[in-house]
Amino acid sequence: MASDDVANLADSLAKTQVDESELSYKGQGLKLDNAQSVEKMVKAIEEFDGLCALRLEGNTIGVEAAQTIAKALEKKSDLQCCHWSDMFTGRLRAEIPPALVSLGDALIMAGARLKVLDLSDNAFGPDGVKGIEKLLKSTACHTLQELRLNNCGMGIGGGKILAAALTVCHKQSSALGAPLQLKVFIAGRNRLENDGATALAQAFQLIGSLEEVHMPQNGINHPGVTALATAMQHNPQLRVLNLNDNTFTKRGAIAMAQALKHLRNVQVINFGDCLVRSEGASAIAETLREGLPILKELNLSFGEITEYAALEVAQSVQHKDQFEKLDLNGNSLGEEGCENLREVMESMNMADKLGSLSDDEGEPEEDDDEEEEDDDDDDDDVEEEEEEEEGEEEKSELNQFSTPPSAPRTPDVSSFLSFPSPDKLLRLGAKRSFLIQQQVDVSDVSKTVEVFLKISSVYKEDDAEVKSAVLESIDAVLSKAFLTPSFQGLSFMSSLLVMLGLLKSEDKLKPVKVVPGHLQCLEHAVKQSYFPREHITVLNAFMARPNKSLEPCSSARERLKSTLQKLTSES
């Protein structure tokens, strides 16, 4: 092909269209300083009938050049898409606002009705946001569907200006009977922090039409995350939520988990590198188990999540028919934890959905510090618990002195649970199961597990009366727990595995000495209608692994394994 033909083809490709209505100068690296430098571009714009999309990204445009281009746009009422990212490279920050004002005024004058405005990768700061403020408030943006402002250095101030402009746009468009229906919002790497994010959250809550929100790497902590969580509840069509590389901590993660319960259309969640921690991950897992039916991708990588919570997350995606990828890389599972996670995913026929675990941080040290922002709350909880314990000890001492040594003590549930024995259980009488059920607070998952293990520890296969009393009591406790809508079933199973010595915990829970009764009662429980079928798979995976804590109970373990395998094959 002749060189002239190549040049003509290149020129044609540069100007032509992904479709017939687009004029593109994308990525040509043009340095456009003045009116003369944009003469050809202006002529092309003026001669382009029905221009709907203009691509200027990947060039550098000065104030005079922008004003000249703007003049040509004043008659382009059909313009809908402005792809203007990365078009001020090497320009002084002071040059950018007047250039944006000129272009915005032209769009307003033309009577354009924008659908896409992309100004990403233009480091214009808060002043740059002021440069598009008038445009965003105008009728030209009443029809805006996508606003892309990634990597613009807006800062808190810019975030607030942007939020206020979007609010005005929505209110004015609503007054005209056609409210702003913004669907895609992208503003990563903008240093919005809590105040900027909170301001935008208020605008999002008002708008209510968002389908994609991308706000990674903005220095947002739990107050800003919580504000965004509240806003997301009011956007029922939300499909993609990307808050990667912000700092949730457990408070932000729990708030976000609660918000996600109100949404049904979410397909992609990216909370990677967000420090959701184990409690936050468990809360998200609980939400996943209950909702988000069409979720495809979940990223909780690099969040200081331990094995205990990672398995909850894995189990929570088991019945997601459209699920494609789970990313738990860079957490604190440890070598054995990674292997357990892989086995659980494999047992659910989802091994191919699990991403790499090559960057796992290993099991956390026992003396790792908790997050600073939660220390005060934790300390307050500890102090309250210590005060309660001291009060109980004082009360106990008074009771010891006020009760004559010779007085017979009537058995009660508390004394049985403190020091379980078959005799104490039987002496509780015919209403024992009801009395125990009333005593158990199923909102405390760990306590519920402890009660189960204490009751099952007195199980006797060869004593029909004790056996019946134990199983009746077990059924009463577990049916109450699993049939309570707010009961955290995943947390119950994780705590149970920890207490049986099958899973390590970051909460420093001490495993009990496993006796056959524990496994025999568990075998009974898994066959009951109240026991959730989704927990069978995880139990089966853990029972299949060699474990020293279960060696003294080999016969009971084999029976339990057989039952679990049968139930797994039936489900």
Side-chain angles (χ1 to χ4, degrees):
M1 184 180 291
S3 59
D4 288 342
D5 292 335
V6 173
N8 290 335
L9 177 60
D11 185 60
S12 175
L13 289 174
K15 291 184 178 179
T16 56
Q17 306 102 358
V18 176
D19 57 54
E20 294 182 355
S21 60
E22 179 181 287
L23 178 60
S24 175
Y25 293 89
K26 180 179 180 180
Q28 294 190 28
L30 302 174
K31 191 173 188 298
L32 307 173
D33 297 321
N34 50 39
Q36 185 178 359
S37 65
V38 294
E39 282 181 356
K40 291 184 180 179
M41 182 184 293
V42 167
K43 184 179 179 182
I45 292 172
E46 290 175 341
E47 294 178 352
F48 201 125
D49 292 331
L51 178 63
C52 290
L54 177 61
R55 290 190 172 275
L56 298 176
E57 63 263 59
N59 299 289
T60 176
I61 301 175
V63 176
E64 185 181 334
Q67 291 171 341
T68 308
I69 295 170
K71 195 69 177 175
L73 292 175
E74 289 178 358
K75 296 180 181 179
K76 297 299 172 182
S77 59
D78 293 328
L79 191 60
Q80 297 177 352
C81 302
C82 297
H83 300 284
W84 296 348
S85 63
D86 188 25
M87 66 175 193
F88 296 113
T89 302
R91 299 292 170 180
L92 297 174
R93 181 173 288 189
E95 294 182 80
I96 302 176
L100 291 172
V101 169
S102 297
L103 292 167
D105 286 348
L107 297 174
I108 296 170
M109 184 177 294
R113 294 292 183 267
L114 296 184
K115 290 184 178 179
V116 178
L117 178 59
D118 185 357
L119 289 167
S120 297
D121 300 315
N122 291 310
F124 49 52
D127 290 340
V129 184
K130 290 179 182 178
I132 59 171
E133 183 179 10
K134 181 180 176 182
L135 173 63
L136 290 172
K137 292 179 179 178
S138 74
T139 55
C141 285
H142 286 186
T143 52
L144 195 63
Q145 295 180 9
E146 297 184 17
L147 180 57
R148 301 171 180 267
L149 296 168
N150 200 57
N151 191 31
C152 290
M154 290 189 290
I156 295 172
K160 289 182 176 180
I161 295 169
L162 176 61
L166 290 173
T167 300
V168 170
C169 183
H170 183 269
K171 288 182 177 179
Q172 291 184 352
S173 59
S174 297
L176 295 173
L180 172 66
Q181 293 289 304
L182 188 65
K183 295 180 180 180
V184 178
F185 179 84
I186 300 176
R189 300 184 65 188
N190 272 292
R191 305 193 311 275
L192 295 170
E193 301 183 14
N194 290 330
D195 289 347
T198 299
L200 285 166
Q202 293 170 351
F204 296 162
Q205 185 168 330
L206 180 67
I207 292 169
S209 57
L210 289 167
E211 296 180 11
E212 293 188 29
V213 175
H214 302 262
M215 297 175 66
Q217 204 172 343
N218 268 297
I220 307 170
N221 298 326
H222 75 86
V225 172
T226 300
L228 288 170
T230 300
M232 293 306 107
Q233 296 181 38
H234 297 270
N235 289 267
Q237 299 307 313
L238 188 70
R239 295 184 294 105
V240 179
L241 182 56
N242 176 9
L243 295 175
N244 187 283
D245 199 8
N246 289 291
T247 308
F248 283 38
T249 66
K250 70 178 182 183
R251 283 183 281 184
I254 290 171
M256 192 60 73
Q258 291 299 316
L260 290 171
K261 289 182 178 180
H262 298 271
L263 302 172
R264 303 286 296 174
N265 295 302
V266 176
Q267 297 178 17
V268 178
I269 295 174
N270 186 345
F271 296 159
D273 205 12
C274 282
L275 210 64
V276 299
R277 292 202 167 98
S278 295
E279 287 187 63
S282 294
I284 292 170
E286 196 69 26
T287 294
L288 292 175
R289 186 176 67 83
E290 298 171 1
L292 301 178
I294 60 174
L295 187 69
K296 293 182 178 180
E297 296 182 18
L298 175 62
N299 184 346
L300 294 178
S301 60
F302 298 93
E304 293 191 0
I305 299 169
T306 59
E307 178 188 3
Y308 172 85
L311 292 173
E312 290 185 293
V313 172
Q315 187 183 358
S316 71
V317 302
Q318 180 177 6
H319 299 297
K320 309 293 183 193
D321 295 337
Q322 300 181 38
F323 197 77
E324 297 174 0
K325 184 178 180 181
L326 174 62
D327 190 346
L328 287 168
N329 199 16
N331 283 298
S332 304
L333 309 185
E335 186 175 342
E336 185 175 341
C338 288
E339 185 60 30
N340 285 340
L341 178 59
R342 292 189 186 98
E343 289 191 7
V344 167
M345 292 294 286
E346 186 173 355
S347 70
M348 299 187 298
N349 295 319
M350 298 180 74
D352 59 325
K353 314 297 185 187
L354 180 63
S356 170
L357 299 173
S358 60
D359 294 320
D360 187 75
E361 298 287 343
E363 294 181 42
E365 298 294 332
E366 292 186 3
D367 59 350
D368 277 354
D369 294 331
E370 295 294 329
E371 60 266 35
E372 291 183 8
E373 64 181 278
D374 289 336
D375 281 347
D376 291 341
D377 292 345
D378 293 343
D379 290 343
D380 290 343
D381 292 342
V382 170
E383 288 176 5
E384 290 174 8
E385 290 173 3
E386 289 176 349
E387 289 174 3
E388 290 174 3
E389 289 173 1
E390 288 174 2
E392 290 173 0
E393 288 175 2
E394 290 175 3
K395 190 183 294 184
S396 176
E397 291 174 3
L398 288 172
N399 288 342
Q400 288 176 8
F401 285 105
S402 60
T403 304
S406 59
R409 185 171 181 175
T410 304
D412 58 23
V413 174
S414 296
S415 65
F416 165 70
L417 293 177
S418 297
F419 300 99
S421 72
D423 181 60
K424 284 184 179 179
L425 181 62
L426 295 177
R427 288 172 63 194
L428 288 175
K431 294 184 177 180
R432 67 180 69 86
S433 60
F434 172 77
L435 293 173
I436 294 174
Q437 184 187 61
Q438 293 298 108
Q439 181 89 357
V440 178
D441 178 9
V442 295
S443 66
D444 189 331
V445 171
S446 296
K447 292 293 184 184
T448 306
V449 173
E450 288 180 11
V451 170
F452 168 76
L453 292 175
K454 286 180 177 180
I455 297 172
S456 58
S457 69
V458 303
Y459 179 88
K460 289 187 176 182
E461 182 70 30
D462 56 356
D463 189 322
E465 187 178 10
V466 173
K467 178 179 178 180
S468 175
V470 168
L471 296 181
E472 286 177 6
S473 301
I474 290 296
D475 288 339
V477 171
L478 294 187
S479 62
K480 176 184 178 180
F482 285 118
L483 297 178
T484 298
S486 60
F487 184 64
Q488 297 183 349
L490 290 172
S491 294
F492 173 88
M493 293 306 302
S494 296
S495 296
L496 178 61
L497 292 171
V498 169
M499 298 293 281
L500 290 175
L502 302 176
L503 180 63
K504 292 183 180 180
S505 169
E506 63 175 6
D507 298 325
K508 302 180 183 178
L509 292 175
K510 292 184 179 180
V512 299
K513 181 180 179 181
V514 182
V515 296
H518 291 143
L519 304 185
Q520 289 166 325
C521 289
L522 188 55
E523 182 197 0
H524 166 81
V526 298
K527 294 186 288 187
Q528 307 310 307
S529 60
Y530 59 71
F531 197 90
R533 297 298 93 182
E534 60 263 26
H535 298 329
I536 301 295
T537 304
V538 173
L539 268 177
N540 187 39
F542 275 91
M543 284 298 158
R545 289 181 60 83
N547 193 286
K548 291 183 179 181
S549 67
L550 301 184
E551 288 178 357
C553 315
S554 57
S555 176
R557 178 187 180 182
E558 289 304 315
R559 284 177 51 185
L560 175 57
K561 282 173 59 178
S562 175
T563 298
L564 289 171
Q565 289 169 358
K566 181 180 178 181
L567 292 172
T568 301
S569 64
E570 292 174 355
S571 61

